[in-house]
Amino acid sequence: MAVGSSFAAIATDKRFLRIFTIGGVQGDILSLPGSVVCMSGHKNQLMVVFHINNPLPGEQALAVKLQDLKHNQEIIAEERVLLSEKSTLAWLG
């Protein structure tokens, strides 16, 4: 779960990202290519880190997507997350 100034976002185990208004009304439902590792919200922006393929044991293959939810979910950045060998990502702030 991540919260911004105008939204709350919930990631599900079915690889969906549900966006709610602060009042609790569900807005968009987005599909992600892999399971979510972590999310963070700030003002109208949502950053989501998720798995993009099957990594080797003990490693993670991740991507990050930064969106502006105020402007029709404009994608600000979308790229791979580069981690050192045998490292993991567990928190985003």
Side-chain angles (χ1 to χ4, degrees):
M1 178 176 177
V3 178
S5 61
S6 62
F7 71 92
I10 307 293
T12 71
D13 60 349
K14 302 289 186 193
R15 299 180 179 174
F16 289 117
L17 185 61
R18 296 177 180 268
I19 310 295
F20 295 87
T21 66
I22 291 299
V25 177
Q26 182 170 296
D28 297 315
I29 301 174
L30 308 173
S31 178
L32 295 171
S35 58
V36 171
V37 174
C38 51
M39 300 189 306
S40 182
H42 176 69
K43 295 185 180 179
N44 295 314
Q45 296 180 344
L46 174 65
M47 182 177 280
V48 182
V49 177
F50 52 90
H51 290 279
I52 54 175
N53 57 22
N54 296 322
L56 297 173
E59 295 187 12
Q60 295 187 54
L62 306 174
V64 62
K65 182 184 284 193
L66 176 61
Q67 291 182 265
D68 186 339
L69 299 179
K70 186 174 183 178
H71 296 99
N72 295 326
Q73 299 180 7
E74 174 188 354
I75 296 174
I76 298 168
E78 185 173 16
E79 54 191 68
R80 291 189 60 138
V81 176
L82 302 176
L83 297 174
S84 302
E85 184 178 342
K86 304 292 183 194
S87 63
T88 60
L89 176 67
W91 182 82
L92 180 68

